Amino acid sequence: MGSAPAPFFEIGKKAKDILTKDYYFNHKFSLATISAAGLGITATGVKLDDLFVGDISTQYKSGKTTVDVKVDTNSNVSTTVTVNEIVSGAKTTFSFKIPDQKSGKLDVQYLHDHVAINSSIGMNTIPVLELAAAIGSRKFGIGAEVGFDSTSATFTKYNAGISFNQQDFSAALILADKGETVKASYIHFLDPLNRSAVAAEMIHRLKTSENSFTIGTSHALDPLTLVKARLSNNGKLAVLCQHEWRPKSLLTLSAEYDPKAIISPSRLGLALALKP
């Protein structure tokens, strides 16, 4: 809903996307197509050093229901059924994986004027329960999430965050890892027309007093070509060039240099996504 705050998992996501999205340092190929009946099929292959893995996924939409099925090279079959607007502002998702009998999970998302709630429960005899909530608006939001393992009667996670969003910038502060890590992120949109932006993320670990940070930027050379770069405090430098050579078909080249790596300081990646 237009005035609802972003769900908790989206706090800090805008800066994270600038710093990490589409950076890939192996080889990846994907081909997506859709039939006249509305059945979408996507085949993906990934080369990880000398190992090749892949999967084939299908998606079918009918009214408010979407069914996704994916089969990977390890013979795992993952199925997700999503139903939108059972009631106004609600989305329900049921997922499971075969042959993993304990993988069943039910997720419910609810968005209202000033609240966003996400809940998840494992569909087994001793489930793991998760709940996330955010209140506020699109400009300002505060939220938290908890996870509870009913087997051991312990909390698997508890995090909190706050976000502040304006037209030209977005800032977020997150207390993560059960209160052991503080993450602060900021993104400034310099020129929306050229998708120019700068972003930074700083992470402080309370137990060890260790600090790390990453800064990055993005800029569109033209309507079809985007370049990005990032630099971390450990000296790692990464660059990316993404070109939309035909509608919705992307060619992405990524490179990273790690001055501390002795054997292979440089990594190159190529990702090709085709959507006829």
Side-chain angles (χ1 to χ4, degrees), residues 94-97 100-106 121-124:
F94 174 66
S95 61
F96 60 92
K97 182 183 292 185
D100 187 356
Q101 299 179 353
K102 298 181 179 180
S103 62
K105 187 169 68 170
L106 178 66
I121 181 172
M123 303 300 290
N124 49 64

Side-chain angles (χ1 to χ4, degrees), residues 135-184:
I135 59 174
S137 66
R138 280 290 171 182
K139 291 186 177 181
F140 176 81
I142 183 171
E145 66 174 350
V146 295
F148 183 76
D149 187 344
S150 58
T151 303
S152 57
T154 58
F155 286 99
T156 58
K157 64 179 178 181
Y158 40 87
N159 308 312
I162 186 171
S163 64
F164 186 67
N165 305 295
Q166 292 295 316
Q167 185 174 358
D168 58 344
F169 74 90
S170 177
L173 182 66
I174 300 174
L175 184 64
D177 301 329
K178 298 182 180 180
E180 295 183 359
T181 303
V182 178
K183 299 180 180 181

Side-chain angles (χ1 to χ4, degrees), residues 233-246:
N233 65 297
N234 56 11
K236 285 185 179 181
L237 173 66
V239 293
L240 173 153
C241 181
Q242 185 176 77
H243 180 68
E244 187 177 10
W245 57 282
R246 59 180 293 175

Side-chain angles (χ1 to χ4, degrees), residues 25-236:
F25 303 110
N26 288 287
H27 298 85
K28 181 178 180 180
F29 173 81
S30 64
L31 173 64
T33 185
I34 187 168
S35 68
L39 178 65
I41 301 176
T42 302
T44 302
V46 178
K47 185 177 183 297
L48 304 172
D49 298 325
D50 296 328
L51 179 66
F52 183 84
V53 296
D55 60 65
I56 296 177
S57 59
T58 62
Q59 183 181 83
Y60 180 73
K61 295 182 179 181
S62 177
K64 298 179 180 180
T65 303
T66 302
V67 179
D68 295 272
V69 179
K70 182 171 71 174
V71 182
D72 62 27
T73 50
N74 294 321
S75 300
N76 295 311
V77 180
S78 304
T79 302
T80 303
V81 180
T82 303
V83 182
N84 288 296
E85 299 290 333
I86 294 181
V87 296
S88 179
K91 180 173 73 173
T92 303
T93 302
F94 174 66
S95 61
F96 60 92
K97 182 183 292 185
I98 298 173
D100 187 356
Q101 299 179 353
K102 298 181 179 180
S103 62
K105 187 169 68 170
L106 178 66
D107 297 276
V108 178
Q109 181 184 83
Y110 178 71
L111 300 177
H112 198 48
D113 289 343
H114 297 289
V115 63
I117 299 174
N118 295 76
S119 62
S120 173
I121 181 172
M123 303 300 290
N124 49 64
T125 55
I126 310 177
V128 174
L129 310 175
E130 296 183 356
L131 177 66
I135 59 174
S137 66
R138 280 290 171 182
K139 291 186 177 181
F140 176 81
I142 183 171
E145 66 174 350
V146 295
F148 183 76
D149 187 344
S150 58
T151 303
S152 57
T154 58
F155 286 99
T156 58
K157 64 179 178 181
Y158 40 87
N159 308 312
I162 186 171
S163 64
F164 186 67
N165 305 295
Q166 292 295 316
Q167 185 174 358
D168 58 344
F169 74 90
S170 177
L173 182 66
I174 300 174
L175 184 64
D177 301 329
K178 298 182 180 180
E180 295 183 359
T181 303
V182 178
K183 299 180 180 181
S185 63
Y186 177 83
I187 180 171
H188 194 92
F189 302 100
L190 303 173
D191 186 352
L193 184 62
N194 293 320
R195 290 182 284 174
S196 295
V198 293
E201 182 184 58
M202 182 173 180
I203 300 175
H204 176 70
R205 291 173 175 82
L206 299 177
K207 276 191 174 182
T208 62
S209 297
E210 178 186 357
N211 294 312
S212 61
F213 70 86
T214 305
I215 58 174
T217 183
S218 69
H219 178 74
L221 300 178
D222 57 54
L224 302 177
T225 307
L226 177 71
V227 293
K228 296 171 63 175
R230 73 181 184 204
L231 176 66
S232 302
N233 65 297
N234 56 11
K236 285 185 179 181

